[in-house]
Amino acid sequence: MASTHPEPVEKKRVTGKSGTEPPIGLIDLLLTETSVTEDQIERASRIAERMRKPVSVCEVLVQLGQLTRTEQEQLLRLHRSRMDVAQILHEDGHLDRGDLDTLRRQMRAEGTEDPRGLLVEGGLVSEEKYLRALCAKHDIPYLEPETALVEEETLTRVSFPYLLRHYVLPFRMVGETLTVILRNPLDSERIGELERIFETKIRPCGATGDSIEKALKRIRNRIQGGASVEEEVSSVNYREIREITD
């Protein structure tokens, strides 16, 4: 006798060529956090496949008017907050599957949850790529130090040897908050110390140790009679700086 129970319906799996298929976690977020439907995701994926240049499914949905730009940005921040740094590097194409699996085994063998040493010192990715992924996970700005926009008066309360030793660059005050660029923007102990020194709230940003060191030395030379602010200002990306410091 034939069963009267309906067959379970298998959830659709959106497919696409490499570089266009969104991670399954992001698909779930599209379905749970927005009004986008599975059919719309499938259609966007098919469109992304036919694009000459790689385009994300989320971007196609935005162009189709089925996802707002604000929703896309919020969704990506939420998605990346749920990933670890290695997963973000893999998703961005900086770490292949083999290296990712090897990294996981090494982390388990060493009993560590911090992949920085294995990734950067191990030569798998540059410090900049690691820090950009770290900042993306924690929704912290990554900011290339632009010495022409550093407010030099913020440097009067701490010595250059201290800043160079700890790779810290006080950037500028916005209201009652001081933006500070750090090699480790998650260093709560250092941030707490800076809050005590400057007696104000600190907003951390990330940058490589090398870029911070070079910026500090340029500022020190300028103060001692080197290059002027006007000579440095031509390379400033005002739009990026304004977005971060406003």
Side-chain angles (χ1 to χ4, degrees):
M1 182 175 176
S3 172
T4 59
H5 296 290
E7 291 293 326
V9 178
E10 182 179 356
K11 187 176 180 180
K12 293 180 181 179
R13 174 69 182 271
V14 180
T15 58
K17 67 182 180 181
S18 176
T20 64
E21 178 184 352
I24 193 65
L26 188 52
I27 293 175
D28 291 339
L29 287 176
L30 279 167
L31 293 171
T32 59
E33 302 293 331
T34 73
S35 60
V36 175
T37 67
E38 289 185 3
D39 288 339
Q40 289 171 332
I41 295 174
E42 279 201 350
R43 178 171 179 247
S45 183
R46 290 195 299 270
I47 293 172
E49 286 182 347
R50 297 194 293 270
M51 300 294 287
R52 292 180 180 178
K53 295 182 179 180
V55 178
S56 71
V57 171
C58 284
E59 182 61 31
V60 174
L61 289 168
V62 170
Q63 296 302 321
L64 292 174
Q66 295 164 347
L67 188 72
T68 68
R69 186 68 68 186
T70 298
E71 285 177 325
Q72 180 194 32
E73 293 171 355
Q74 292 173 343
L75 202 68
L76 290 174
R77 283 198 294 269
L78 178 59
H79 171 57
R80 294 205 155 193
S81 72
R82 297 180 177 183
M83 303 170 72
D84 61 35
V85 172
Q87 287 173 317
I88 293 173
L89 287 166
H90 175 63
E91 184 176 273
D92 288 347
H94 302 313
L95 199 65
D96 63 32
R97 172 56 63 181
D99 286 337
L100 180 61
D101 292 341
T102 299
L103 175 69
R104 298 275 193 242
R105 289 194 295 270
Q106 290 177 323
M107 290 177 67
R108 286 194 297 269
E110 295 185 11
T112 181
E113 296 182 358
D114 183 1
R116 181 170 188 151
L118 294 171
L119 285 168
V120 179
E121 280 73 31
L124 292 175
V125 298
S126 66
E127 184 183 26
E128 179 179 344
K129 288 176 180 176
Y130 169 81
L131 281 168
R132 286 187 182 276
L134 181 75
C135 289
K137 172 175 174 55
H138 296 281
D139 197 21
I140 295 172
Y142 180 92
L143 181 60
E144 288 291 346
E146 289 288 358
T147 58
L149 294 183
V150 172
E151 296 176 345
E152 291 181 5
E153 57 267 29
T154 65
L155 305 177
T156 59
R157 300 181 68 170
V158 64
S159 69
F160 274 100
Y162 172 91
L163 298 174
L164 286 165
R165 184 167 63 253
H166 297 296
Y167 296 98
V168 172
L169 175 58
F171 187 61
R172 62 192 305 140
M173 287 288 298
V174 179
E176 296 183 356
T177 300
L178 174 63
T179 297
V180 178
I181 305 174
L182 303 102
R183 185 180 192 179
N184 181 3
L186 301 183
D187 188 344
S188 57
E189 182 177 345
R190 185 71 52 218
I191 292 170
E193 186 174 56
L194 291 168
E195 287 180 336
R196 291 191 294 274
I197 292 172
F198 290 98
E199 300 179 306
T200 193
K201 182 179 178 181
I202 299 296
R203 185 189 186 195
C205 296
T208 65
D210 183 60
S211 65
I212 292 172
E213 181 179 3
K214 287 179 179 178
L216 285 168
K217 289 180 177 179
R218 283 198 299 270
I219 294 169
R220 184 176 60 187
N221 291 340
R222 188 173 70 209
I223 292 173
Q224 294 174 350
S228 67
V229 172
E230 289 74 14
E231 290 173 335
E232 297 178 1
V233 78
S234 60
S235 66
V236 172
N237 185 335
Y238 285 102
R239 182 178 179 181
E240 180 184 6
I241 301 298
R242 188 179 300 277
E243 289 175 351
I244 290 172
T245 59
D246 280 351

